[in-house]
Amino acid sequence: MSSSLKRPILWGKPIGISIEPTTSCNLRCPECPSGLRSFTRPTGMLQVEMFKKSIDQLKETTAYLTFYFQGEPYLNPQFLEMVSIADDNRIYTSTSTNAHYLNKENAIKTVNSGLKRIIVSIDGTSQEVYEQYRVGGSLNKVLEGTKNLVEAKQASGSDFPKIVFQFLVVKPNEHQINDLKKLAKDIGVDQVKLKTAQIYDFENGNDLIPENDKYSRYKRGNDGKYHIKNSLLNKCWKLWNSCVITWDGKVLPCCFDKDAQFEMGNIKDQTFELIWQNNKYKQFREQLIRSRQEISICKNCSEGLKVWDE
């Protein structure tokens, strides 16, 4: 990265990428475009051939692959097949799921796929609290799916995937953090992470903003309005080291571009290398170095404010 030189010098290809299995989701979470069904871009499923095309161009440099952007990965019937392809190419793979589709069969397939890390979203330790954010979801299914995965790992003698309970801390559930830690220990989860919530309409306050300031991305200013804590310096490692590829091949600068407003190119039409080095990407990097505040997707960025290990 070259922000210190004020020039967007670029070396190599990204070492970490996110690929979107699908934009579809079974839940209706209130601060998620998938849940709100509010996308301005098409909804669909990543196809194996499209995935192979991406991996063939990136496998020599990619060390870490996140199989997630928007949507629920397990809704894509070819999801675990694609995980196996990445694993065969010695790429570390991770995903994030609401765990509603981790029946015993899928749990075994997940372990056999070579997936290395799975984040299970669990935003409450009682159904009453859980469903306030995970609208339409069942906490029992989340717990059952996680247990199925633990059992499948034990039966195979595998250490992977590492199972992470991720708790999106919001006002309705912040009192359950200690209960979450106990629940994770009882089930056999490998790790617990607490995550701050991204809220789109936060300026005038929001019922989801936690009372404990530690778990909020926002703070109230002297003007009575809420402001994001992040100072938004004119630099960002993601523009030089990672990217997002949507289910239909769009290359995006980062995971905050939910609606693909800043499409840099499409791998259906061009090679990744040409997109990564094209004038559109160069101009975006230049704008970020010059004035990140002017880029709409950066205004709610919380890099460095998002997750705590517990």
Side-chain angles (χ1 to χ4, degrees):
M1 178 176 172
S2 59
S3 59
S4 61
L5 301 175
K6 303 301 181 184
R7 290 184 290 126
I9 299 171
L10 186 66
W11 294 280
K13 294 179 183 177
I15 59 173
I17 59 172
S18 296
I19 294 185
E20 180 179 61
T22 182
T23 45
S24 299
C25 189
N26 53 308
L27 303 185
R28 290 186 171 270
C29 305
E31 295 294 326
C32 172
S34 291
L36 293 170
R37 313 300 194 259
S38 63
F39 282 119
T40 58
R41 61 187 176 96
T43 295
M45 301 277 181
L46 175 67
Q47 300 300 307
V48 171
E49 288 308 310
M50 172 72 75
F51 175 71
K52 286 181 177 178
K53 185 173 183 178
S54 303
I55 290 302
D56 285 346
Q57 297 179 59
L58 290 163
K59 62 186 178 183
E60 297 301 324
T61 54
T62 298
Y64 194 107
L65 171 57
T66 300
F67 268 105
Y68 178 74
F69 178 35
Q70 297 297 296
E72 167 52 46
Y74 281 87
L75 285 173
N76 187 324
Q78 297 177 308
F79 166 57
L80 293 175
E81 178 184 349
M82 290 184 279
V83 172
S84 293
I85 292 170
D87 187 64
D88 289 343
N89 282 284
R90 300 183 179 180
I91 300 172
Y92 185 99
T93 53
S94 174
T95 196
S96 180
T97 177
N98 60 46
H100 281 59
Y101 299 97
L102 281 173
N103 54 36
K104 290 184 182 296
E105 180 182 0
N106 277 341
I108 293 170
K109 287 181 178 179
T110 298
V111 173
N112 292 338
S113 72
L115 185 71
K116 295 298 185 287
R117 185 171 182 261
I118 186 167
I119 296 170
V120 174
S121 296
I122 176 170
D123 302 327
T125 59
S126 64
Q127 178 63 27
E128 179 184 9
V129 171
Y130 172 81
E131 67 186 1
Q132 288 185 56
Y133 187 81
R134 296 288 166 180
V135 178
S138 165
L139 179 61
N140 283 339
K141 284 189 176 181
V142 176
L143 300 180
E144 180 182 350
T146 305
K147 291 174 183 176
N148 287 339
L149 198 53
V150 171
E151 290 173 5
K153 284 175 60 178
Q154 291 173 344
S156 70
S158 176
D159 291 330
F160 299 102
K162 296 297 184 184
I163 304 170
V164 180
F165 261 177
Q166 183 169 276
F167 196 76
L168 192 67
V169 183
V170 289
K171 189 173 182 178
N173 70 15
E174 61 184 317
H175 65 286
Q176 293 187 330
I177 291 173
N178 287 333
D179 294 337
L180 171 73
K181 295 175 186 177
K182 182 180 184 302
L183 183 61
K185 184 177 180 180
D186 291 344
I187 293 176
V189 168
D190 297 294
Q191 189 178 15
V192 171
K193 283 185 174 288
L194 306 181
K195 183 177 180 180
T196 60
Q198 178 183 0
I199 296 170
Y200 290 101
D201 184 18
F202 62 83
E203 290 86 355
N204 296 313
N206 187 291
D207 290 341
L208 292 174
I209 296 177
E211 292 185 3
N212 187 335
D213 184 64
K214 175 183 177 182
Y215 302 119
S216 175
R217 298 187 186 187
Y218 315 97
K219 60 183 177 182
R220 192 192 297 268
N222 294 331
D223 58 359
K225 301 283 189 179
Y226 280 85
H227 304 270
I228 192 163
K229 293 177 181 177
N230 198 334
S231 58
L232 289 185
L233 300 176
N234 293 332
K235 59 182 180 179
C236 179
W237 67 270
K238 290 187 176 182
L239 268 293
W240 281 261
N241 294 291
S242 71
C243 71
V244 173
I245 301 175
T246 65
W247 69 270
D248 52 351
K250 296 181 178 71
V251 177
L252 311 179
C254 87
C255 60
F256 277 86
D257 191 7
K258 314 289 189 190
D259 271 313
Q261 301 173 60
F262 296 91
E263 180 185 344
M264 298 295 143
N266 195 305
I267 59 170
K268 290 188 296 186
D269 308 317
Q270 294 177 290
T271 65
F272 180 85
E273 186 167 2
L274 284 175
I275 296 169
W276 185 242
Q277 298 180 358
N278 68 19
N279 286 333
K280 197 171 186 179
Y281 232 135
K282 181 181 178 181
Q283 290 167 7
F284 190 87
R285 294 183 181 105
E286 287 176 340
Q287 184 181 6
L288 183 140
I289 292 172
R290 184 176 63 251
S291 180
R292 192 176 171 202
Q293 294 274 2
E294 296 178 6
I295 302 175
S296 60
I297 60 171
C298 295
K299 291 180 180 178
N300 204 359
C301 179
S302 57
E303 191 64 33
L305 300 174
K306 293 196 293 187
V307 180
W308 289 264
D309 291 323
E310 293 290 326

